Amino acid sequence: MPFVTAGRDGSRRILCAVDAAARKAGLHVGMPVAEAQALLPGLALIEAEPERDREMLDALAIEILRRTSPMVALDAPDGLWIDTTGCDHLFGGEAAMLADLRHCLHTAGYACRVALTGTTGAAHALARFGRSAVTIIPPGGEGVAVSALPLAALRLPEDTVAGLRRLGFDTIGQLATVPRAPLVRRFGMEVTRRLDQVSGAAAEPLDPIEPPDMPRVKLGFIEPIGTPEHLARAIADLADMLCVRLGEEGLGARRLDLVFARVDGRTEIIRAGTAAPNREPRHLVRLLIERLSTVDPGFGVETMTLSAPLAEPLDTRQIAAGFADAAGGDIALLVDTLANRLGAHRLYRAAPVESDLPERAVRTVAPLAPTLRAGWPAELPRPVRLFDPPEEVRTLAKMPDHPPRFFIWRGQRHDITHADGPERVFGEWWRREAETTAVRDYFAVEDEAGARFWLFRDGDGSDRETGSYRWFLHGLFT
Amino acid sequence: MSGHAPLLAELRERIAHLDGSGVRVRPGLPFGVEAIDRHLPGGGLLRGALHEVSGAGEDFTYGAAAALFIAGVLARLDGPVLWCLRRRDLFAPGLANAGLDPDRVIYAEAGDAKNVLLAMEEGLRHAPLAGVVGEIDRIGLTASRRLNLAAEESGVLAFALKRGWRHGDVEREEPSAAHTRWRVGAMPSRALEVPGLGRALWRLELTRCRNGEAAQWLVEACDEQGRIALADVGAARSAPATPAPAPVAVPAELSDRPAARPSPIRRAAGGGAVRHRRA
């Protein structure tokens, strides 16, 4: 069912927002309500609430500030700009960062389109007019990426777009190739400015939001600073100040944003995360210094702002406790340092899952998660290396309960001298229909050289329903 | 003879000092196997030092036995362990079989060799760790020196688990600053009286040992507490949990096998294969 909101533009009633179904039916933003109702009788109309939209956008911006990047600016009424410089490493790359962003928005109930580019103009255009819902443009590719987009993507006044159309311009690419002087004479500087903002020839600083209740400290410098030593010194001062702030409120930082404002108006960002709330200045300084080499101070840095967009309650008692009791602080520091370098998901502990299927018997938990004091059944021998997926091998075996005589794996024959098994593993029918009857028989075998392998036969060997009878190598013992 | 002993000890210490290696004579972590512990300077694996472990032959690609050997050593220590991986094929229940509690192991999936080394070095600077393991294909002189220094400062036990990343990779001996270099290879285990698998046997080769000599032993693989045992009749008696196998001449036969395998030739052949593939 198409769904639209309607509002007033002077005396006319027009559509303010349309959903995908409505767009498909030919409705668009700005269309008079009467016309829309003529196209789609019985159209569901909701009164537009621009103030509430704005409030929701503000709230969303703060949420994204906590989650994705310290520099979020509004692109009202329906967009956000996010400066992700220095942030993607926490997610394990740009694509993973966008996936996380989309997931977070979808969970909150928003449909979204994202574009990651080197310029705000191109990001604005591609997010709204690009072909796919997720676009990532490598640096320098903005001009080409937007060339096929319509002029409306340029953030120009409506009458300018209409005027350009009359002259025969349809796409940004066409506009970018013509001489500029006549354009400026006719339409003013606006058109060329927008073109430059797309290609990156003109700077477009964002106006980032600043939530009032976020722990934040700032240092301004009379003389711009730029050497690593000076920056490191400033970071130490900022961390001390921030930890005092956090201590007053009984909080510990889970995420740190350090924004460097350069003299040329550009900003550089360091973002670091911690696995557990922390307000130990030494710890925070190390996490930030670690990434100082990614910062280009340009001709100097005028101000530095350190904030903790994500902070959680932390009382003094918790500072001493933690992983492995007395050693807590340093392990947390190690985990944070590595997580900031490799990505938080690359650091984990293994925890048991109650599943007979070996590939499901292990899940990963956060490195500093509480210890579980649980393991896998010790009497079941399990390999040290597990192949995922299992590798098919050719064998000669007697059915049903005998281990193979030999098997050929990657072109090499292994004659089996000793074997243990079968250990029967049943499919987990509550997970997948196909596993209802599935059975695997596992054998631990030793070849004539003493190497030990973990083989299984798909099926119980007497009933074809239970599997294909093919043999697989699932892991290596020694 | 006995009058020379203190003099010899003093000389050894002075040489070690000049060498810059065994600067502080720290007690090593014993294996609990007398023959091995007696052979190693310090009476065991030196803590605060880097040790290289690799699989033998085919197992160099996976280092399964090597991983188990390391897990067995770490199982006998207290405290968290950092295990740096390049690929997620390590199976935690297998390590738990050798007594390494999953709660103790933090995995760092470093992705490439450079990051494995970085993560290892970072881990070695943290004294509360029991050990740091890095799975890596090769470790040069510079990297191993750095790791050794970091380990020396914190006293953390460091292992470089050397493994190939393509099927059929073979180990190439490279100079490194590691204190010891081990090669762990599977050996045919003795037959039980009933069908089934007995305790696995390993040929444990100490191919390099600073201030010591190379040696090799035939040992029983790690038990559930991570302990290895010499594979002979005496060792079988000290582990009463497993029924003592009939005292047949198997161990003697087996201990002949290592010498029969001409390992230098095998390595050379492997090197040739690699060149061939590149060509």
Side-chain angles (χ1 to χ4, degrees):
Chain A
M1 189 63 203
F3 174 80
V4 300
T5 63
R8 278 191 182 284
D9 173 30
S11 60
R12 296 189 309 154
R13 296 247 307 148
I14 57 163
L15 300 187
C16 291
V18 297
D19 72 352
R23 200 175 304 124
K24 218 170 186 180
L27 309 193
H28 60 86
V29 174
M31 182 185 253
V33 168
E35 195 180 323
Q37 278 171 329
L39 269 171
L40 279 177
L43 178 69
L45 271 175
I46 301 282
E47 205 56 38
E49 296 172 87
E51 294 82 18
R52 272 215 63 208
D53 284 350
R54 179 59 196 256
E55 278 169 29
M56 297 292 281
L57 192 65
D58 283 342
L60 194 62
I62 291 175
E63 198 47 53
I64 286 174
L65 180 94
R66 297 218 159 96
R67 193 178 177 94
T68 312
S69 160
M71 299 272 284
V72 180
L74 299 180
D75 183 13
D78 58 353
L80 291 173
W81 273 305
I82 308 166
D83 186 338
T84 64
T85 318
C87 300
D88 55 299
H89 69 95
L90 281 179
F91 298 87
E94 293 181 335
M97 177 178 67
L98 293 190
D100 175 85
L101 181 63
R102 293 191 69 204
H103 174 78
C104 139
L105 285 165
H106 276 293
T107 323
Y110 293 101
C112 70
R113 295 168 58 88
V114 286
L116 184 63
T117 72
T119 63
T120 38
H124 174 98
L126 285 161
R128 285 167 179 76
F129 297 90
R131 204 171 297 156
S132 65
V134 183
T135 318
I136 298 180
I137 305 296
E142 289 84 11
V144 179
V146 299
S147 62
L149 300 184
L151 295 179
L154 271 183
R155 294 180 286 164
L156 291 169
E158 247 173 67
D159 46 343
T160 310
V161 173
L164 285 166
R165 277 240 182 78
R166 269 197 302 281
L167 294 180
F169 295 111
D170 286 320
T171 65
I172 298 177
Q174 291 167 346
L175 203 58
T177 51
V178 298
R180 293 188 156 204
L183 279 181
V184 174
R185 224 167 17 246
R186 176 141 188 186
F187 297 102
M189 293 297 287
E190 188 70 0
V191 177
T192 50
R193 188 169 68 91
R194 290 301 190 195
L195 277 175
D196 286 344
Q197 284 175 348
V198 165
S199 67
E204 187 182 6
L206 293 179
D207 179 19
I209 56 160
E210 295 189 9
D213 55 345
M214 185 190 290
R216 174 195 296 263
V217 291
K218 194 169 180 177
L219 269 186
F221 310 109
I222 303 166
E223 286 281 321
I225 60 169
T227 63
E229 295 77 31
H230 286 144
L231 292 172
R233 180 67 202 278
I235 289 175
D237 290 348
L238 282 168
D240 282 338
M241 288 154 67
L242 187 71
C243 288
V244 170
R245 262 298 293 282
L246 291 167
E248 282 164 6
E249 295 173 43
L251 295 172
R254 285 295 313 277
R255 183 151 283 179
L256 290 173
D257 286 334
L258 178 58
V259 178
F260 302 80
R262 296 181 4 180
V263 281
D264 58 2
R266 296 189 53 179
T267 54
E268 294 278 327
I269 296 166
I270 292 179
R271 160 162 280 209
T274 64
N278 195 305
R279 60 162 182 271
E280 177 65 44
R282 193 175 64 94
H283 186 136
L284 304 187
V285 166
R286 249 190 89 168
L287 296 182
L288 294 168
I289 298 273
E290 171 86 2
R291 298 206 70 81
L292 192 56
S293 58
T294 63
V295 170
D296 171 15
F299 293 111
V301 172
E302 274 181 323
T303 59
M304 283 163 67
T305 314
L306 179 65
S307 59
L310 213 60
E312 284 172 8
L314 172 75
D315 56 35
T316 21
R317 199 163 32 83
Q318 276 170 302
I319 297 176
F323 190 86
D325 304 318
D330 282 317
I331 293 296
L333 179 54
L334 171 66
V335 164
D336 289 344
T337 310
L338 290 179
N340 281 314
R341 197 181 284 156
L342 306 172
H345 62 288
R346 297 274 201 86
L347 222 66
Y348 50 86
R349 292 207 328 259
V353 176
E354 275 206 38
S355 170
D356 291 336
L357 283 183
E359 54 268 51
R360 287 189 194 141
V362 181
R363 72 192 161 95
T364 59
V365 295
L368 296 181
T371 51
L372 300 154
R373 310 206 181 285
W376 297 270
E379 66 280 8
L380 297 176
R382 287 293 177 259
V384 183
R385 302 281 179 199
L386 192 78
F387 293 132
D388 183 26
E391 297 192 11
E392 185 164 5
V393 292
R394 288 199 290 131
T395 61
L396 178 70
K398 280 198 282 184
M399 298 282 191
D401 287 341
H402 292 275
R405 293 277 182 75
F406 68 85
F407 66 94
I408 297 170
W409 174 49
R410 295 189 177 170
Q412 195 154 358
R413 178 179 159 134
H414 300 269
D415 283 307
I416 290 169
T417 52
H418 310 293
D420 229 348
E423 179 193 335
R424 183 153 293 181
V425 169
F426 293 93
E428 298 179 328
W429 50 267
W430 58 90
R431 283 182 195 260
R432 278 196 312 149
E433 185 79 11
E435 288 184 31
T436 310
T437 56
V439 170
R440 282 181 194 171
D441 277 342
Y442 276 93
F443 292 89
V445 302
E446 183 177 309
D447 73 4
E448 74 284 2
R452 294 192 172 190
F453 302 88
W454 209 35
L455 296 168
F456 74 83
R457 178 185 56 219
D458 187 26
D460 67 2
S462 54
D463 182 359
R464 276 281 174 188
E465 276 279 287
T466 58
S468 62
Y469 292 1
R470 290 187 301 165
W471 284 84
F472 294 89
L473 179 63
H474 206 165
L476 303 174
F477 285 98
T478 57
Chain B
M1 185 67 199
S2 60
H4 291 299
L7 190 64
L8 273 177
E10 198 204 315
L11 274 174
R12 272 208 190 103
E13 203 165 310
R14 272 170 66 185
I15 291 169
H17 194 78
L18 292 174
D19 191 15
S21 46
V23 184
R24 274 148 290 177
V25 184
R26 261 183 297 212
L29 177 74
F31 281 97
V33 179
E34 221 227 313
I36 303 178
D37 294 340
R38 209 178 38 218
H39 184 87
L40 291 169
L45 274 184
L46 206 62
R47 292 203 217 182
L50 176 72
H51 305 275
E52 272 182 37
V53 186
S54 72
E58 283 282 294
D59 194 34
F60 179 67
T61 318
Y62 298 99
L68 216 53
F69 173 76
I70 293 172
V73 172
L74 295 173
R76 290 177 284 126
L77 289 170
D78 287 325
V81 168
L82 179 71
W83 201 300
C84 311
L85 307 165
R86 272 180 64 178
R87 184 191 291 167
R88 201 183 276 202
D89 64 354
L90 196 67
F91 195 46
L95 296 185
N97 278 159
L100 189 57
D101 182 355
D103 278 341
R104 286 181 50 204
V105 190
I106 297 174
Y107 299 96
E109 226 173 271
D112 59 27
K114 192 177 119 247
N115 278 337
V116 168
L117 290 172
L118 277 172
M120 283 180 78
E121 194 179 347
E122 195 64 44
L124 285 174
R125 300 197 184 282
H126 288 79
L129 288 179
V132 170
V133 187
E135 299 194 356
I136 194 155
D137 50 353
R138 52 202 300 187
I139 180 163
L141 203 54
T142 318
S144 57
R145 270 199 195 123
R146 284 187 67 119
L147 294 179
N148 224 354
L149 277 176
E152 212 162 84
E153 240 158 68
S154 63
V156 176
L157 190 55
F159 287 106
L161 199 173
K162 289 177 71 184
R163 59 179 290 201
W165 299 98
R166 288 162 307 179
H167 187 69
D169 274 359
V170 285
E171 186 183 8
R172 273 162 294 175
E173 295 262 335
E174 286 175 336
S176 90
H179 251 262
T180 60
R181 184 180 283 161
W182 302 82
R183 195 182 292 133
V184 191
M187 291 294 290
S189 66
R190 61 193 79 182
L192 299 179
E193 282 156 7
V194 289
L197 286 176
R199 198 156 151 193
L201 287 188
W202 286 340
R203 183 164 59 133
L204 192 58
E205 290 172 82
L206 178 63
T207 58
R208 192 195 124 94
C209 175
R210 207 187 275 185
N211 305 331
E213 284 165 20
Q216 52 176 300
W217 299 273
L218 186 71
V219 297
E220 293 183 344
C222 294
D223 64 5
E224 54 279 10
Q225 264 108 43
R227 288 176 307 219
I228 55 173
L230 264 204
D232 59 22
V233 185
R237 218 186 305 124
S238 73
T242 49
V248 286
V250 180
E253 262 175 45
L254 287 173
S255 54
D256 282 339
R257 291 281 278 272
R261 271 162 93 161
S263 58
I265 293 172
R266 198 180 58 220
R267 274 201 302 280
V274 170
R275 276 197 298 277
H276 176 70
R277 191 161 54 230
R278 278 197 187 142

